[in-house]
Amino acid sequence: MTQVETAETGQGSAGRRDTGIGTRRARIRRAIRAVFRPGPWKRGLVLAVLGMFLGLFMALHAKIPNRIGNLGSLAETFLPWFGLFIPVLLAGALWRRSASAVVALLLPVMVWLNLFGGLLGDKSHPGSDLTVASHNVGADNPDPVGTARDLAGSGADVLALEELTPQALGTYEKELAKAYPHHTVQGTVGLWSKLPLSDTKPVDVKMDLGPLAATKPADVKMAYNRGLRTTVATDQGPLAVYVAHLGSARVNPRAGFSTGQRDAGAKALGQAIAAEPNERVVLLGDLNGTMDDRAFDGLSSRMRSAQDAAGDGFGFSWPAKFPVARIDQILVRGVEPRSSWMLPATGSDHRPVAAGISW
């Protein structure tokens, strides 16, 4: 063997030794990574914690305090929408291949289904004795004539309107007169009916909470009155109907979720209905809140939501172009809701709501 061949053979042996050492090192590194790499139950712990927190947040929403900016009421107003976080967290869990995060998400899924699963199906039934409807027609509605004609063609036997302005009132009275021979207007709310009305009176929903409220004349208060009570004479007997437009809720950085006037109105309305002698009662109106909001416990504990009992879906009514909350309500006591639905949008920023009820 020549010296050149000997040298080449030596280099080849060294290369093989280097390759072998490199392979062993790579194996060692892989083994170390395998030991210290988190398994599927250890990966995505942050996602797992977030999933558990979301479930507890929805389950314990009634415990969220209102002391700071009415945070509890704000969360309850949009509570169904918190379910949108579930698919987001699930996507993150699958991306991280985290078994712990996937299992943790079972809690918010079960809580959400328990709270709102019943609204996913159609619970309506055919046939009803009376059809009622309610619509905040909007003070800035550019087409009150079209709105009135649409409502007249809805087939409702009893129609409540809120946010009536002096400028538009005559238009609604004229356009609805043929379909509804009976009507009453108390301040900015009114009721149109195919059946006779009696015992009509305004209902104080606490729109004026100032220190001089008690000193104001009745005619001054009536100008901005937002509640009424009347009796509708049906074939099945008298039906007490309340119409209300509660104070607005506002969200701002300093005060948080401002609902003081609305909450006072909800309390007063609940007391009025609690004292109502007629066992058959229907409440129609823009309550500026959802029935999940604790502020309406005085109403929801005494009355049933027609949408919850006999509707199809969530029935969101506001804002009209892209509804995110049902703040326009039809609540009943002593009668059976058979169906509940949304009417086509009008020129208002609210969608009209309707329901069929039976005795």
Side-chain angles (χ1 to χ4, degrees):
M1 180 180 296
T2 66
Q3 292 182 352
V4 173
E5 290 174 339
T6 303
E8 290 177 350
T9 302
Q11 290 176 358
S13 300
R16 284 193 293 273
R17 286 196 299 272
D18 291 343
T19 302
I21 294 172
T23 302
R24 287 195 295 272
R25 289 175 178 174
R27 289 174 179 172
I28 293 172
R29 286 196 295 268
R30 285 197 295 269
I32 292 174
R33 284 198 297 267
V35 171
F36 291 98
R37 179 189 299 159
W41 292 100
K42 293 183 179 180
R43 289 196 295 267
L45 291 181
V46 173
L47 291 171
V49 171
L50 290 175
M52 295 292 292
F53 176 79
L54 177 61
L56 293 173
F57 179 86
M58 292 190 293
L60 303 176
H61 64 87
K63 303 296 184 181
I64 301 173
N66 256 348
R67 293 188 297 273
I68 302 175
N70 284 325
L71 184 61
S73 285
L74 178 61
E76 289 166 338
T77 297
F78 300 102
L79 195 59
W81 292 96
F82 283 92
L84 292 179
F85 289 109
I86 296 175
V88 174
L89 292 176
L90 178 59
L94 295 176
W95 180 69
R96 292 281 289 135
R97 299 180 183 179
S98 171
S100 58
V102 171
V103 172
L105 283 174
L106 292 176
L107 176 61
V109 168
M110 296 303 296
V111 171
W112 193 92
L113 289 176
N114 180 64
L115 291 172
F116 306 110
L119 296 175
L120 297 179
D122 186 357
K123 301 178 292 300
S124 62
H125 301 280
S128 63
D129 296 320
L130 193 73
T131 300
V132 298
S134 176
H135 188 29
N136 179 328
V137 293
D140 298 322
N141 191 327
D143 185 20
V145 172
T147 298
R149 291 176 179 175
D150 288 344
L151 294 173
S154 67
D157 300 298
V158 176
L159 172 65
L161 301 185
E162 304 89 47
E163 210 164 292
L164 293 166
T165 64
Q167 296 79 11
L169 177 57
T171 298
Y172 289 108
E173 290 178 326
K174 177 183 177 181
E175 297 297 333
L176 296 174
K178 184 176 180 180
Y180 299 99
H182 310 279
H183 88 282
T184 180
V185 175
Q186 303 288 318
T188 64
V189 296
L191 189 74
W192 277 256
S193 175
K194 296 180 180 179
L195 303 169
L197 305 176
S198 62
D199 302 325
T200 301
K201 62 181 181 181
V203 175
D204 184 7
V205 292
K206 305 301 180 183
M207 291 307 299
D208 193 342
L209 299 177
L212 301 179
T215 65
K216 294 182 180 179
D219 58 337
V220 173
K221 290 184 177 182
M222 183 55 65
Y224 51 84
N225 175 72
R226 288 191 179 190
L228 70 82
R229 183 262 182 219
T230 191
T231 299
V232 178
T234 75
D235 293 339
Q236 290 76 24
L239 174 70
V241 176
Y242 285 76
V243 181
H245 180 196
L246 299 186
S248 299
R250 295 282 186 265
V251 180
N252 61 72
R254 292 187 177 181
F257 193 47
S258 178
T259 62
Q261 194 174 54
R262 184 207 66 179
D263 294 351
K267 182 178 180 180
L269 193 57
Q271 292 172 343
I273 290 176
E276 170 59 50
N278 193 330
E279 64 178 16
R280 296 169 177 167
V281 184
V282 172
L283 168 60
L284 307 167
D286 172 9
L287 303 189
N288 270 309
T290 71
M291 288 301 99
D292 295 312
D293 191 330
R294 68 196 67 181
F296 297 97
D297 287 349
L299 290 170
S300 59
S301 63
R302 297 183 176 95
M303 308 186 79
R304 302 170 66 192
S305 164
Q307 181 66 25
D308 289 351
D312 182 6
F314 290 91
F316 295 146
S317 64
W318 178 88
K321 291 183 178 179
F322 186 81
V324 298
R326 185 181 179 88
I327 63 175
D328 300 276
Q329 307 291 348
I330 298 177
L331 307 180
V332 301
R333 185 186 81 186
V335 294
E336 186 67 23
R338 299 287 296 172
S339 56
S340 180
W341 64 96
M342 309 300 298
L343 293 171
T346 69
S348 173
D349 59 340
H350 291 246
R351 289 280 301 273
V353 297
I357 60 174
S358 292
W359 275 253

